[in-house]
Amino acid sequence: MWRGFFINWLASSPLLVNPVRASLMRLYGIRTTTNGIRPGCYFAGRDVVIGADTFINYRCFFDGSAPIRIGEKCGIGMEVLFCTSTHIMGSATERAGHVNPQPITVGNGCWIGARSVILPGVTIGDGCIIGAGAVVNKDCAPNGMYAGVPARRVKELPVEG
C-alpha cells in the first residue's frame, strides 16, 4: 500500500520538478533514464521501462498487470491509457473470466496522441504515430500513422536512411 501511495501521490505531485519526480520513480522500481515525466501519472505496477529522451505528458495511466516497455525518443500525449489487463471470456453467468494480463511494447521514436488507449498484447513498431483518441487493439507495423476506433493504418510515414 505504501508503495502505491509513494509513487501515485508523492511522485506524481505537480509540486515536484521533473528530475526529482523521475528519481522517485526510479526508487520505486520504474526503469527510466528520462526526466520528462509530467505530474499526475498513475502507475499500478513497477514493471515499466521508459527509454531515454522519452516524454510522458500529464495524467497517463500505466496498468501494471503485465510489463510495459516504451522505447527511446517517444512522445506520449496527455491521459494516454496503457491497459495490460484483460480477461478470458467466461460463461454466460460470468463473462469476465480469469484475468489474462498481456504486455505492451512501444518502439523507438513513436508519438502517441492524447487520450489514446493501448490495449493488452499490443506492439507498436518503431516510428509510428497514433492519433489522438485512437484505440489500439492490434499490433502496428513500423513507420505508419494509425487513427480511429479501432485504430487502423491511415498513412505510410517516410523512413529516413
Side-chain angles (χ1 to χ4, degrees):
M1 177 183 149
W2 285 108
R3 287 184 174 154
F5 170 81
F6 173 78
I7 195 68
N8 294 313
W9 184 80
L10 178 62
S12 71
S13 170
L15 300 176
L16 297 178
V17 293
N18 289 340
V20 172
R21 179 178 301 105
S23 294
L24 290 173
M25 289 182 176
R26 284 190 282 277
L27 284 172
Y28 176 68
I30 293 169
R31 289 168 282 167
T32 184
T33 57
T34 188
N35 288 333
I37 301 173
R38 293 294 184 255
C41 293
Y42 185 90
F43 292 86
R46 294 185 287 177
D47 197 358
V48 177
V49 176
I50 301 170
D53 299 319
T54 286
F55 175 80
I56 308 290
N57 215 325
Y58 297 92
R59 297 179 52 170
C60 291
F61 184 96
F62 297 84
D63 172 13
S65 299
I68 298 171
R69 304 291 181 257
I70 300 174
E72 298 179 353
K73 298 183 179 182
C74 293
I76 309 299
M78 295 171 281
E79 297 184 350
V80 172
L81 167 61
F82 295 91
C83 181
T84 60
S85 59
T86 187
H87 296 268
I88 303 291
M89 189 184 325
S91 68
T93 59
E94 186 180 5
R95 289 294 182 204
H98 296 289
V99 175
N100 180 26
Q102 298 174 23
I104 292 172
T105 302
V106 176
N108 296 322
C110 293
W111 175 16
I112 300 178
R115 291 196 172 174
S116 294
V117 177
I118 315 302
L119 292 175
V122 165
T123 295
I124 298 173
D126 293 345
C128 281
I129 296 174
I130 306 299
V135 176
V136 183
N137 65 350
K138 294 183 179 163
D139 290 351
C140 299
N143 300 304
M145 180 182 293
Y146 291 79
V149 179
R152 61 180 180 82
R153 193 174 183 107
V154 296
K155 184 176 181 181
E156 299 292 322
L157 299 175
V159 179
E160 300 165 275

